[in-house]
Amino acid sequence: MSQMDIVTKRIYEDAANRDGHRVLVDRLWPRGVSKDEARLDDWCKELAPSDELRQWFDHDADKFDEFSKKYKKELKDCEDKLDELVNIAKHKRVTILYGAKDEEHNQAVVLKEVLCERS
């Protein structure tokens, strides 16, 4: 198996060449970020948590474990897209972008874990 290179990063941080394949995993476009600044390779709305789950979670760190379980369940419907990202990550870095302020309790952290488990 090839080693995968997957990192997470806030969309509000400057894009860098070392980011490789830049993927936004928010359903809503982040405020104050232009399409040019974002330098996205992909905007995977289908990999973002459902509106219902996102609103329930409301970036509450105390709900993160439960959010993580529910989100992983939702991701089971996205097998093809997950496989696509795994394949890209085997050849070059994949940077999962998100808008949340909390860098430890967000969907990108969970998505990275799911992708790494698929390798």
Side-chain angles (χ1 to χ4, degrees):
M1 266 307 144
S2 303
Q3 186 66 24
M4 290 194 303
D5 188 3
I6 301 172
V7 296
T8 61
K9 183 176 181 177
R10 287 192 75 220
I11 186 80
Y12 298 103
E13 293 178 45
D14 291 338
N17 289 335
R18 70 179 177 278
D19 290 344
H21 189 82
R22 291 172 53 87
V23 182
L24 177 63
V25 292
D26 283 348
R27 282 195 193 274
L28 306 173
W29 186 261
R31 285 187 195 143
V33 177
S34 74
K35 299 259 196 270
D36 285 344
E37 287 172 327
R39 284 182 34 200
L40 293 185
D41 293 295
D42 206 351
W43 181 10
C44 297
K45 294 179 199 175
E46 70 272 28
L47 293 182
S50 65
D51 289 336
E52 181 181 84
L53 180 56
R54 183 176 51 79
Q55 289 164 359
W56 170 83
F57 175 47
D58 197 30
H59 303 290
D60 180 346
D62 292 336
K63 292 181 179 176
F64 186 70
D65 288 342
E66 187 64 20
F67 165 80
S68 183
K69 285 181 199 148
K70 291 178 178 186
Y71 180 41
K72 286 177 180 179
K73 199 176 253 183
E74 287 185 356
L75 286 172
K76 289 188 187 319
D77 295 334
C78 304
E79 300 287 328
D80 291 347
K81 196 64 183 176
L82 294 171
D83 287 344
E84 181 183 320
L85 288 178
V86 165
N87 287 330
I88 293 169
K90 287 179 180 175
H91 302 286
K92 69 177 180 179
R93 171 170 283 178
V94 170
T95 298
I96 303 170
L97 300 161
Y98 61 94
K101 287 186 177 89
D102 186 333
E103 296 182 17
E104 293 175 36
H105 305 98
N106 64 65
Q107 73 273 19
V109 171
V110 179
L111 179 58
K112 177 181 176 181
E113 183 183 320
V114 168
L115 292 170
C116 288
E117 287 170 358
R118 295 176 79 85
S119 66

